[in-house]
Amino acid sequence: MDAGLILLVFLAFLFAWLLNRVRRFFRLGAIGYAGVMIVFVIAMLLIWGQTLR
């Protein structure tokens, strides 16, 4: 497994944990939470795609 991919998975878990705390603070609904997660996944895939070049 690529070390960069392992780092991205770790960052994803860290981001999800932080987002859960922020979601409780701002009282985001499920739609807002899903929207933020989708944007995060797309951004991480784009960053990972740049490292393959």
Side-chain angles (χ1 to χ4, degrees), residues 11-24:
L11 288 175
F13 280 117
L14 183 65
F15 180 78
W17 178 75
L18 288 172
L19 182 62
N20 202 23
R21 296 180 71 84
V22 169
R23 184 176 65 106
R24 277 193 231 135

Side-chain angles (χ1 to χ4, degrees), residues 10-42:
F10 172 73
L11 288 175
F13 280 117
L14 183 65
F15 180 78
W17 178 75
L18 288 172
L19 182 62
N20 202 23
R21 296 180 71 84
V22 169
R23 184 176 65 106
R24 277 193 231 135
F25 182 75
F26 286 114
R27 304 204 187 282
L28 287 176
I31 294 173
Y33 186 73
V36 172
M37 286 306 292
I38 289 170
V39 168
F40 175 75
V41 168
I42 290 171

